[in-house]
Amino acid sequence: MSNDQGSQFLRAPIVVVLGHVDAGKTTLLDKIRGTAVAKREPGTMTQHIGASFLPWKALEAVCGSLVSQIRAEVVIPGFLVIDTPGHEAFSNLRRRGGSIADIAILVVDVLRGLEQQTFESIDILRERKVPFIVAVNKIDKIPGWKSFPNTPFVESVKRQSEAAQLKLEELLSYIIQQFASLGFRSDRYDRIRDFTRVLALVPVSAVTGEGIPDLLLVLAGLAQRYLKGRLLASIAPGKGVILELKEEAGLGMTATLILYDGVIRRGDIVVTGGIEGAFSTRVRALLMPKPLDEMRSPEDRFLEVERIVAAAGVKLVAEGLEKAVPGAPLFVAVSEEEVGRLKQLVEEEISGVKFERDVVGVVVKADTLGTLEALVGYLKKQGIPIRVADIGPVVKRDVVQASMVKEKDPLYAAILAFNVKILPEAQDEAARHGIPVFQERIMYKLVENYQKWLQETRDAEVRKAFEKITPPAVVQILPGYVFRRRDPIIVGVRVVCGRIRSGVPLITKDGREIGEIMQIKEHDKVLDVVSEGAEVAISIRSKAIVGRQVKEGDYLYSNLSIEEINRLLEKYEKYLAENEKSYLRKLMRFKMGLSKEIEYP
Ligand code: GDP
């Protein structure tokens, strides 16, 4: 280490963009990136790997007169904006109990307000305790809005017609109401005094650039005033997170590292987390994108650097990165001796996310540590127990785990695979054991699919138990259809209520036991079950004789105990038709001695 070790400085805050699909996240990021590139300061590298750096000077140039409005002296060097918007990149910027993202921009479509993924974004921002501001986007689409490209919102709004201004107010107040229902106080940013208490809404257009200066200034003001402690970095061994892994021709597996503290140098020993636990390796190269005007060929994309200081996004080339997982922390070790301690630190960081427990619960597999953590959190909230949470494709071992659960409770014998493949032998094994594997690229859908299956399986089990109970049934012996008078009796009947099957015991109106149904036939066909309206021949094992104890035209009733009737009416009510319930209640009255005979029909 050089002699500048330990000296502290204020680094650029790491900024992420979240929001509902189509709210304009990508367009907004492009606009911000464009700003960075267009106003490039000599000597500042605006393109990083996985992120873009927006130097303060560029902000000043964009914000012009507005800058004087943030009174505090500008000390942050700029912003490091993560290039990939959305949940996934954000979840990989993980750090135990929080995030390495310092601040977020939540993009909301002014015409649509808060939508499903906006709510999800707010949830994960809250969970990871990341402050955010809201870009209320697409103001150029407000009816009657006149565009003044790249103008601050506060100037543009003054030049709008009264109607357009009113429409904007109306749309904003709807959004403010939506935030209020989530427990947030929010307001148009230029009406806020205390930004720590009130959520800032900045009207923008990612297409015309209106409001972008305001957005960047609010972001800077907030970062500077309220995140200062957090942004204090030092010239010390680097700390970062693996955002992404990528195979590069000629380089092998490389990692996109977002460095949030300290320094990383070529040749450093680093410790990170992998599928099989923590491991160390040596940095072979650190790569940054080559500025476009210096690129000679498409292969000539990278520029090797000796060292890089936080905050930065850099491509790391090192042996063994194919074992690493996105979302894992990465620490620079000052010495070989320190590797052990750092490995332990990495293991601790990961152990809360990746685990295996001896409980009855589902098996969860995800592509990155960040998505696994988010998925585990989501499942916990839904009250779904988890046995295994791990990274990587679904393998045979996962199926073995699930089949162990099946012995105890088949409802949790399932595998949830998020963004990962299922290996063929695991697929075969799952089919053999009857273990369902759910595979999805959208988290809430994955969980929803499992829950749907859970409900259906539960229903099917209830249904199966229901089928075992003697069904409510009333049949009438059809006059002229007595084929055999004594054991076994064979008569033609019409089912007037419920359904019959073999084994159903029958009684007469006054409770006399006739016997069990042996077989049901329609012409020559033997049937298992027949329902209301059917006319069939039935045989009954019986001591009774037709013409004596029972006559043509008589009704016969399925015989249920009081306990069976209660069970049906309480547990299986939704499977019963109105007339079946009515019959059961009449039968109950008779069984309890409240009526002399079964008063049905
Ligand atoms: P993302 O899914 O959130 O990344 O949304 P995109 O950036 O892909 O934008 C979705 C659509 O909205 C695209 O057709 C954009 O051109 C459009 N769009 C985004 N921002 C604006 C805006 O400020 N004004 C208008 N009129 N269209 C926009």
Side-chain angles (χ1 to χ4, degrees):
M1 284 263 132
S2 56
N3 54 9
D4 55 359
Q5 183 168 2
S7 67
Q8 290 195 314
F9 60 95
L10 217 51
R11 66 164 169 82
I14 298 168
V15 181
V16 291
V17 175
L18 292 178
H20 192 76
V21 60
D22 281 348
K25 301 182 291 295
T26 313
T27 315
L28 183 69
L29 268 168
D30 283 348
K31 197 78 188 175
I32 293 176
R33 255 203 307 264
T35 304
V37 175
K39 307 277 161 77
R40 199 168 83 193
E41 269 291 287
T44 48
M45 194 166 292
T46 50
Q47 274 313 116
H48 285 222
I49 300 283
S52 305
F53 181 64
L54 197 63
W56 182 257
K57 287 280 182 216
L59 287 175
E60 254 180 350
V62 176
C63 302
S65 60
L66 274 187
V67 170
S68 58
Q69 293 182 15
I70 49 168
R71 283 173 287 274
E73 196 191 329
V74 173
V75 275
I76 56 165
F79 294 115
L80 187 74
V81 185
I82 301 295
D83 282 343
T84 325
H87 287 46
E88 253 174 71
F90 176 73
S91 63
N92 274 336
L93 294 171
R94 55 173 303 284
R95 196 177 170 181
R96 188 149 42 147
S99 174
I100 68 154
D102 299 297
I103 196 162
I105 300 172
L106 182 67
V107 186
V108 172
D109 183 331
V110 67
L111 296 176
R112 304 179 67 98
L114 275 57
E115 301 171 81
Q116 166 148 19
Q117 284 164 295
T118 328
F119 293 112
E120 285 170 31
S121 302
I122 294 169
D123 272 352
I124 57 172
L125 288 169
R126 258 183 172 168
E127 214 172 272
R128 306 254 172 128
K129 304 185 190 70
V130 176
F132 61 97
I133 65 171
V134 184
V136 181
N137 192 29
K138 306 196 187 181
I139 55 169
D140 61 288
K141 284 172 79 175
I142 292 173
W145 192 269
K146 261 173 54 200
S147 288
F148 299 96
N150 304 320
T151 317
F153 164 76
V154 284
E155 283 167 25
S156 163
V157 71
K158 283 188 209 141
R159 299 197 234 162
Q160 302 301 325
S161 66
E162 199 171 324
Q165 290 193 23
L166 277 174
K167 188 68 195 168
L168 171 69
E169 288 307 314
E170 188 190 306
L171 293 165
L172 280 178
S173 75
Y174 173 64
I175 292 172
I176 290 170
Q177 256 177 45
Q178 283 188 302
F179 273 116
S181 71
L182 298 174
F184 286 98
R185 267 180 69 194
S186 63
D187 209 345
R188 209 172 92 177
Y189 90 94
D190 52 328
R191 295 169 180 159
I192 297 175
R193 292 195 157 189
D194 182 353
F195 283 87
T196 52
R197 293 189 180 192
V198 186
L199 186 57
L201 309 182
V202 187
V204 301
S205 165
V207 167
T208 69
E210 279 164 292
I212 302 293
D214 314 63
L215 185 75
L216 296 174
L217 272 186
V218 173
L219 207 59
L222 270 178
Q224 188 136 294
R225 246 170 289 170
Y226 306 110
L227 298 172
K228 255 189 181 165
R230 221 185 122 93
L231 301 180
L232 221 47
S234 45
I235 303 295
K239 292 178 184 167
V241 160
I242 295 182
L243 181 63
E244 197 186 29
L245 291 166
K246 208 168 172 189
E247 184 99 40
E248 292 284 357
L251 297 173
M253 194 59 88
T254 67
T256 299
L257 175 72
I258 303 295
L259 193 70
Y260 62 88
D261 193 8
V263 187
I264 187 166
R265 298 177 165 81
R266 182 166 64 166
D268 275 348
I269 300 168
V270 293
V271 176
T272 188
I275 297 173
E276 265 123 47
F279 67 97
S280 66
T281 179
R282 194 176 283 274
V283 178
R284 262 207 288 145
L286 293 170
L287 305 176
M288 293 294 271
K290 197 168 251 187
L292 274 177
D293 44 10
E294 291 171 29
M295 238 191 253
R296 273 177 301 270
S297 69
E299 295 80 53
D300 181 35
R301 286 187 294 146
F302 301 118
L303 191 72
E304 236 186 277
V305 293
E306 270 310 306
R307 62 167 227 163
I308 195 123
V309 180
V314 64
K315 189 182 275 292
L316 195 94
V317 184
E319 209 75 43
L321 283 178
E322 58 289 339
K323 286 185 297 190
V325 285
L330 185 140
F331 300 122
V332 172
V334 265
S335 62
E336 285 284 357
E337 291 75 67
E338 233 215 333
V339 167
R341 187 185 68 83
L342 290 176
K343 273 189 183 168
Q344 207 177 335
L345 202 66
V346 169
E347 292 285 352
E348 275 167 26
E349 273 264 352
I350 291 178
S351 63
V353 188
K354 232 171 82 126
F355 57 80
E356 193 175 314
R357 299 181 186 132
D358 187 20
V359 297
V360 174
V362 295
V363 173
V364 180
K365 298 296 290 262
D367 57 337
T368 72
L369 218 49
T371 51
L372 182 66
E373 189 173 39
L375 183 55
V376 165
Y378 190 60
L379 286 167
K380 275 186 185 157
K381 249 196 247 154
Q382 309 284 318
I384 299 168
I386 302 163
R387 182 184 182 87
V388 177
D390 207 354
I391 312 284
V394 177
V395 294
K396 208 166 155 183
R397 227 185 131 250
D398 299 319
V399 183
V400 173
Q401 287 284 347
S403 47
M404 274 153 78
V405 171
K406 192 168 187 176
E407 287 163 21
K408 294 188 180 138
D409 188 345
L411 291 175
Y412 294 110
I415 299 171
L416 278 67
F418 182 68
N419 253 348
V420 291
K421 291 199 189 97
I422 305 164
L423 297 190
E425 70 262 28
Q427 192 112 50
D428 295 346
E429 191 80 355
R432 221 152 51 77
H433 289 276
I435 306 283
V437 183
F438 300 92
Q439 207 177 8
E440 264 293 345
R441 298 182 64 88
I442 297 174
M443 195 166 293
Y444 76 89
K445 264 204 190 140
L446 175 68
V447 177
E448 206 174 81
N449 288 352
Y450 165 68
Q451 281 172 321
K452 222 168 116 206
W453 172 85
L454 187 72
Q455 192 56 46
E456 280 165 10
T457 314
R458 245 183 212 149
D459 280 354
E461 279 189 1
V462 170
R463 179 96 216 173
K464 228 157 91 190
F466 167 70
E467 309 269 323
K468 280 194 186 134
I469 302 175
T470 303
V474 181
V475 300
Q476 185 179 24
I477 300 175
L478 297 170
Y481 285 91
V482 177
F483 304 109
R484 218 182 125 89
R485 293 182 177 280
R486 56 180 78 225
D487 195 29
I489 294 172
I490 301 177
V491 288
V493 296
R494 177 188 298 118
V495 181
V496 296
C497 171
R499 65 208 155 85
I500 53 170
R501 52 175 158 75
S502 61
V504 169
L506 296 174
I507 53 175
T508 57
K509 209 171 184 60
D510 52 6
R512 183 195 296 270
E513 288 178 19
I514 297 301
E516 278 185 11
I517 297 177
M518 284 166 62
Q519 204 177 53
I520 304 171
K521 265 190 176 175
E522 186 176 39
H523 307 300
D524 283 336
K525 225 164 79 197
V526 175
L527 298 173
D528 292 333
V529 187
V530 290
S531 310
E532 195 174 320
E535 290 188 353
V536 289
I538 60 173
S539 55
I540 309 167
R541 174 156 298 139
S542 182
K543 291 204 179 79
I545 295 167
V546 182
R548 291 198 195 155
Q549 296 88 342
V550 54
K551 297 187 183 65
E552 295 181 27
D554 277 1
Y555 289 100
L556 294 175
Y557 304 84
S558 61
N559 188 13
L560 288 81
S561 66
I562 289 179
E563 192 239 317
E564 280 177 315
I565 299 171
N566 273 332
R567 189 141 37 104
L568 276 181
L569 287 176
E570 277 160 24
K571 254 181 99 174
Y572 303 100
E573 205 214 333
K574 69 170 177 176
Y575 298 120
L576 297 170
E578 277 315 310
N579 64 347
E580 292 177 312
K581 283 187 261 183
S582 157
Y583 163 63
L584 288 174
R585 282 192 282 265
K586 298 266 169 67
L587 180 63
M588 183 69 132
R589 274 177 63 78
F590 173 72
K591 292 260 167 182
M592 290 174 71
L594 297 174
S595 60
K596 284 214 172 62
E597 49 182 35
I598 304 168
E599 293 162 333
Y600 193 97

PDB file of all heavy atoms in Angstrom, residues 271-292:
ATOM      1  N   VAL A 271     -10.977 -11.641  -1.972  1.00  0.00           N
ATOM      2  CA  VAL A 271     -11.784 -12.747  -1.453  1.00  0.00           C
ATOM      3  C   VAL A 271     -13.226 -12.474  -1.828  1.00  0.00           C
ATOM      4  O   VAL A 271     -13.722 -11.351  -1.654  1.00  0.00           O
ATOM      5  CB  VAL A 271     -11.659 -12.838   0.082  1.00  0.00           C
ATOM      6  CG1 VAL A 271     -12.577 -13.935   0.624  1.00  0.00           C
ATOM      7  CG2 VAL A 271     -10.216 -13.094   0.487  1.00  0.00           C
ATOM      8  N   THR A 272     -13.889 -13.507  -2.373  1.00  0.00           N
ATOM      9  CA  THR A 272     -15.294 -13.328  -2.731  1.00  0.00           C
ATOM     10  C   THR A 272     -16.074 -14.611  -2.467  1.00  0.00           C
ATOM     11  O   THR A 272     -15.511 -15.602  -2.004  1.00  0.00           O
ATOM     12  CB  THR A 272     -15.449 -12.839  -4.190  1.00  0.00           C
ATOM     13  OG1 THR A 272     -16.817 -12.513  -4.427  1.00  0.00           O
ATOM     14  CG2 THR A 272     -15.008 -13.894  -5.188  1.00  0.00           C
ATOM     15  N   GLY A 273     -17.376 -14.577  -2.749  1.00  0.00           N
ATOM     16  CA  GLY A 273     -18.228 -15.721  -2.446  1.00  0.00           C
ATOM     17  C   GLY A 273     -18.555 -16.522  -3.687  1.00  0.00           C
ATOM     18  O   GLY A 273     -18.750 -15.961  -4.767  1.00  0.00           O
ATOM     19  N   GLY A 274     -18.613 -17.826  -3.509  1.00  0.00           N
ATOM     20  CA  GLY A 274     -18.908 -18.676  -4.649  1.00  0.00           C
ATOM     21  C   GLY A 274     -19.974 -19.687  -4.327  1.00  0.00           C
ATOM     22  O   GLY A 274     -20.484 -19.758  -3.209  1.00  0.00           O
ATOM     23  N   ILE A 275     -20.290 -20.488  -5.341  1.00  0.00           N
ATOM     24  CA  ILE A 275     -21.306 -21.523  -5.192  1.00  0.00           C
ATOM     25  C   ILE A 275     -20.928 -22.460  -4.052  1.00  0.00           C
ATOM     26  O   ILE A 275     -21.766 -22.908  -3.284  1.00  0.00           O
ATOM     27  CB  ILE A 275     -21.467 -22.293  -6.519  1.00  0.00           C
ATOM     28  CG1 ILE A 275     -21.965 -21.331  -7.582  1.00  0.00           C
ATOM     29  CG2 ILE A 275     -22.416 -23.484  -6.364  1.00  0.00           C
ATOM     30  CD1 ILE A 275     -22.007 -21.886  -8.965  1.00  0.00           C
ATOM     31  N   GLU A 276     -19.603 -22.745  -3.956  1.00  0.00           N
ATOM     32  CA  GLU A 276     -19.172 -23.658  -2.898  1.00  0.00           C
ATOM     33  C   GLU A 276     -18.547 -22.933  -1.704  1.00  0.00           C
ATOM     34  O   GLU A 276     -17.712 -23.501  -1.003  1.00  0.00           O
ATOM     35  CB  GLU A 276     -18.180 -24.670  -3.464  1.00  0.00           C
ATOM     36  CG  GLU A 276     -18.856 -25.970  -3.870  1.00  0.00           C
ATOM     37  CD  GLU A 276     -18.614 -26.291  -5.321  1.00  0.00           C
ATOM     38  OE1 GLU A 276     -17.437 -26.187  -5.753  1.00  0.00           O
ATOM     39  OE2 GLU A 276     -19.574 -26.615  -6.021  1.00  0.00           O
ATOM     40  N   GLY A 277     -18.887 -21.682  -1.526  1.00  0.00           N
ATOM     41  CA  GLY A 277     -18.337 -20.944  -0.390  1.00  0.00           C
ATOM     42  C   GLY A 277     -17.308 -19.914  -0.824  1.00  0.00           C
ATOM     43  O   GLY A 277     -17.082 -19.695  -2.020  1.00  0.00           O
ATOM     44  N   ALA A 278     -16.678 -19.297   0.178  1.00  0.00           N
ATOM     45  CA  ALA A 278     -15.736 -18.205  -0.105  1.00  0.00           C
ATOM     46  C   ALA A 278     -14.446 -18.751  -0.700  1.00  0.00           C
ATOM     47  O   ALA A 278     -14.034 -19.866  -0.411  1.00  0.00           O
ATOM     48  CB  ALA A 278     -15.455 -17.447   1.178  1.00  0.00           C
ATOM     49  N   PHE A 279     -13.818 -17.942  -1.557  1.00  0.00           N
ATOM     50  CA  PHE A 279     -12.515 -18.321  -2.103  1.00  0.00           C
ATOM     51  C   PHE A 279     -11.703 -17.069  -2.399  1.00  0.00           C
ATOM     52  O   PHE A 279     -12.249 -15.968  -2.464  1.00  0.00           O
ATOM     53  CB  PHE A 279     -12.667 -19.188  -3.359  1.00  0.00           C
ATOM     54  CG  PHE A 279     -13.257 -18.458  -4.540  1.00  0.00           C
ATOM     55  CD1 PHE A 279     -12.441 -17.914  -5.527  1.00  0.00           C
ATOM     56  CD2 PHE A 279     -14.633 -18.312  -4.656  1.00  0.00           C
ATOM     57  CE1 PHE A 279     -12.992 -17.232  -6.614  1.00  0.00           C
ATOM     58  CE2 PHE A 279     -15.183 -17.642  -5.731  1.00  0.00           C
ATOM     59  CZ  PHE A 279     -14.369 -17.104  -6.722  1.00  0.00           C
ATOM     60  N   SER A 280     -10.398 -17.253  -2.561  1.00  0.00           N
ATOM     61  CA  SER A 280      -9.567 -16.092  -2.876  1.00  0.00           C
ATOM     62  C   SER A 280      -8.917 -16.278  -4.238  1.00  0.00           C
ATOM     63  O   SER A 280      -8.755 -17.395  -4.720  1.00  0.00           O
ATOM     64  CB  SER A 280      -8.491 -15.913  -1.801  1.00  0.00           C
ATOM     65  OG  SER A 280      -7.600 -17.006  -1.846  1.00  0.00           O
ATOM     66  N   THR A 281      -8.567 -15.167  -4.848  1.00  0.00           N
ATOM     67  CA  THR A 281      -7.886 -15.208  -6.144  1.00  0.00           C
ATOM     68  C   THR A 281      -7.093 -13.917  -6.307  1.00  0.00           C
ATOM     69  O   THR A 281      -7.194 -13.016  -5.476  1.00  0.00           O
ATOM     70  CB  THR A 281      -8.921 -15.392  -7.291  1.00  0.00           C
ATOM     71  OG1 THR A 281      -8.223 -15.412  -8.536  1.00  0.00           O
ATOM     72  CG2 THR A 281      -9.961 -14.297  -7.315  1.00  0.00           C
ATOM     73  N   ARG A 282      -6.290 -13.866  -7.369  1.00  0.00           N
ATOM     74  CA  ARG A 282      -5.471 -12.675  -7.568  1.00  0.00           C
ATOM     75  C   ARG A 282      -5.949 -11.914  -8.805  1.00  0.00           C
ATOM     76  O   ARG A 282      -6.291 -12.532  -9.815  1.00  0.00           O
ATOM     77  CB  ARG A 282      -3.999 -13.093  -7.735  1.00  0.00           C
ATOM     78  CG  ARG A 282      -3.020 -11.945  -7.608  1.00  0.00           C
ATOM     79  CD  ARG A 282      -1.591 -12.426  -7.676  1.00  0.00           C
ATOM     80  NE  ARG A 282      -1.114 -13.046  -6.439  1.00  0.00           N
ATOM     81  CZ  ARG A 282      -0.592 -12.372  -5.411  1.00  0.00           C
ATOM     82  NH1 ARG A 282      -0.502 -11.055  -5.452  1.00  0.00           N
ATOM     83  NH2 ARG A 282      -0.168 -13.005  -4.347  1.00  0.00           N
ATOM     84  N   VAL A 283      -6.018 -10.597  -8.693  1.00  0.00           N
ATOM     85  CA  VAL A 283      -6.507  -9.775  -9.810  1.00  0.00           C
ATOM     86  C   VAL A 283      -5.484  -9.791 -10.943  1.00  0.00           C
ATOM     87  O   VAL A 283      -4.356  -9.332 -10.775  1.00  0.00           O
ATOM     88  CB  VAL A 283      -6.749  -8.317  -9.357  1.00  0.00           C
ATOM     89  CG1 VAL A 283      -7.217  -7.464 -10.531  1.00  0.00           C
ATOM     90  CG2 VAL A 283      -7.752  -8.272  -8.209  1.00  0.00           C
ATOM     91  N   ARG A 284      -5.871 -10.342 -12.086  1.00  0.00           N
ATOM     92  CA  ARG A 284      -4.968 -10.373 -13.230  1.00  0.00           C
ATOM     93  C   ARG A 284      -5.019  -9.062 -13.995  1.00  0.00           C
ATOM     94  O   ARG A 284      -4.024  -8.584 -14.498  1.00  0.00           O
ATOM     95  CB  ARG A 284      -5.330 -11.536 -14.160  1.00  0.00           C
ATOM     96  CG  ARG A 284      -4.465 -12.760 -13.925  1.00  0.00           C
ATOM     97  CD  ARG A 284      -4.353 -13.592 -15.167  1.00  0.00           C
ATOM     98  NE  ARG A 284      -5.622 -14.270 -15.426  1.00  0.00           N
ATOM     99  CZ  ARG A 284      -6.099 -14.495 -16.634  1.00  0.00           C
ATOM    100  NH1 ARG A 284      -5.431 -14.107 -17.695  1.00  0.00           N
ATOM    101  NH2 ARG A 284      -7.254 -15.093 -16.779  1.00  0.00           N
ATOM    102  N   ALA A 285      -6.219  -8.521 -14.109  1.00  0.00           N
ATOM    103  CA  ALA A 285      -6.344  -7.241 -14.815  1.00  0.00           C
ATOM    104  C   ALA A 285      -7.581  -6.507 -14.353  1.00  0.00           C
ATOM    105  O   ALA A 285      -8.560  -7.127 -13.908  1.00  0.00           O
ATOM    106  CB  ALA A 285      -6.415  -7.491 -16.315  1.00  0.00           C
ATOM    107  N   LEU A 286      -7.532  -5.190 -14.438  1.00  0.00           N
ATOM    108  CA  LEU A 286      -8.682  -4.325 -14.175  1.00  0.00           C
ATOM    109  C   LEU A 286      -8.961  -3.596 -15.474  1.00  0.00           C
ATOM    110  O   LEU A 286      -8.064  -2.959 -16.032  1.00  0.00           O
ATOM    111  CB  LEU A 286      -8.347  -3.312 -13.082  1.00  0.00           C
ATOM    112  CG  LEU A 286      -8.114  -3.883 -11.685  1.00  0.00           C
ATOM    113  CD1 LEU A 286      -7.548  -2.794 -10.774  1.00  0.00           C
ATOM    114  CD2 LEU A 286      -9.412  -4.436 -11.097  1.00  0.00           C
ATOM    115  N   LEU A 287     -10.190  -3.708 -15.960  1.00  0.00           N
ATOM    116  CA  LEU A 287     -10.500  -3.115 -17.261  1.00  0.00           C
ATOM    117  C   LEU A 287     -11.599  -2.070 -17.161  1.00  0.00           C
ATOM    118  O   LEU A 287     -12.560  -2.231 -16.425  1.00  0.00           O
ATOM    119  CB  LEU A 287     -10.938  -4.209 -18.244  1.00  0.00           C
ATOM    120  CG  LEU A 287      -9.982  -5.380 -18.461  1.00  0.00           C
ATOM    121  CD1 LEU A 287     -10.614  -6.405 -19.392  1.00  0.00           C
ATOM    122  CD2 LEU A 287      -8.655  -4.894 -19.027  1.00  0.00           C
ATOM    123  N   MET A 288     -11.401  -1.024 -17.933  1.00  0.00           N
ATOM    124  CA  MET A 288     -12.420   0.022 -18.061  1.00  0.00           C
ATOM    125  C   MET A 288     -12.730   0.141 -19.549  1.00  0.00           C
ATOM    126  O   MET A 288     -11.929  -0.275 -20.380  1.00  0.00           O
ATOM    127  CB  MET A 288     -11.878   1.355 -17.534  1.00  0.00           C
ATOM    128  CG  MET A 288     -11.622   1.369 -16.042  1.00  0.00           C
ATOM    129  SD  MET A 288     -13.123   1.219 -15.083  1.00  0.00           S
ATOM    130  CE  MET A 288     -13.574   2.943 -14.920  1.00  0.00           C
ATOM    131  N   PRO A 289     -13.889   0.724 -19.896  1.00  0.00           N
ATOM    132  CA  PRO A 289     -14.181   0.855 -21.333  1.00  0.00           C
ATOM    133  C   PRO A 289     -13.257   1.892 -21.951  1.00  0.00           C
ATOM    134  O   PRO A 289     -12.925   2.895 -21.321  1.00  0.00           O
ATOM    135  CB  PRO A 289     -15.623   1.362 -21.364  1.00  0.00           C
ATOM    136  CG  PRO A 289     -16.115   1.339 -19.974  1.00  0.00           C
ATOM    137  CD  PRO A 289     -14.942   1.294 -19.060  1.00  0.00           C
ATOM    138  N   LYS A 290     -12.870   1.644 -23.165  1.00  0.00           N
ATOM    139  CA  LYS A 290     -12.023   2.602 -23.874  1.00  0.00           C
ATOM    140  C   LYS A 290     -12.951   3.681 -24.422  1.00  0.00           C
ATOM    141  O   LYS A 290     -14.031   3.363 -24.938  1.00  0.00           O
ATOM    142  CB  LYS A 290     -11.334   1.864 -25.012  1.00  0.00           C
ATOM    143  CG  LYS A 290     -10.142   2.585 -25.571  1.00  0.00           C
ATOM    144  CD  LYS A 290      -9.351   1.675 -26.482  1.00  0.00           C
ATOM    145  CE  LYS A 290      -8.041   1.287 -25.828  1.00  0.00           C
ATOM    146  NZ  LYS A 290      -7.163   0.536 -26.732  1.00  0.00           N
ATOM    147  N   PRO A 291     -12.603   4.948 -24.310  1.00  0.00           N
ATOM    148  CA  PRO A 291     -13.457   5.977 -24.912  1.00  0.00           C
ATOM    149  C   PRO A 291     -13.669   5.680 -26.406  1.00  0.00           C
ATOM    150  O   PRO A 291     -12.748   5.208 -27.074  1.00  0.00           O
ATOM    151  CB  PRO A 291     -12.653   7.268 -24.736  1.00  0.00           C
ATOM    152  CG  PRO A 291     -11.724   6.979 -23.598  1.00  0.00           C
ATOM    153  CD  PRO A 291     -11.440   5.507 -23.638  1.00  0.00           C
ATOM    154  N   LEU A 292     -14.880   5.931 -26.891  1.00  0.00           N
ATOM    155  CA  LEU A 292     -15.245   5.596 -28.266  1.00  0.00           C
ATOM    156  C   LEU A 292     -14.227   6.078 -29.293  1.00  0.00           C
ATOM    157  O   LEU A 292     -13.866   5.364 -30.217  1.00  0.00           O
ATOM    158  CB  LEU A 292     -16.610   6.207 -28.594  1.00  0.00           C
ATOM    159  CG  LEU A 292     -17.818   5.361 -28.195  1.00  0.00           C
ATOM    160  CD1 LEU A 292     -19.112   6.096 -28.488  1.00  0.00           C
ATOM    161  CD2 LEU A 292     -17.788   4.010 -28.914  1.00  0.00           C
TER     162      LEU A 292
END
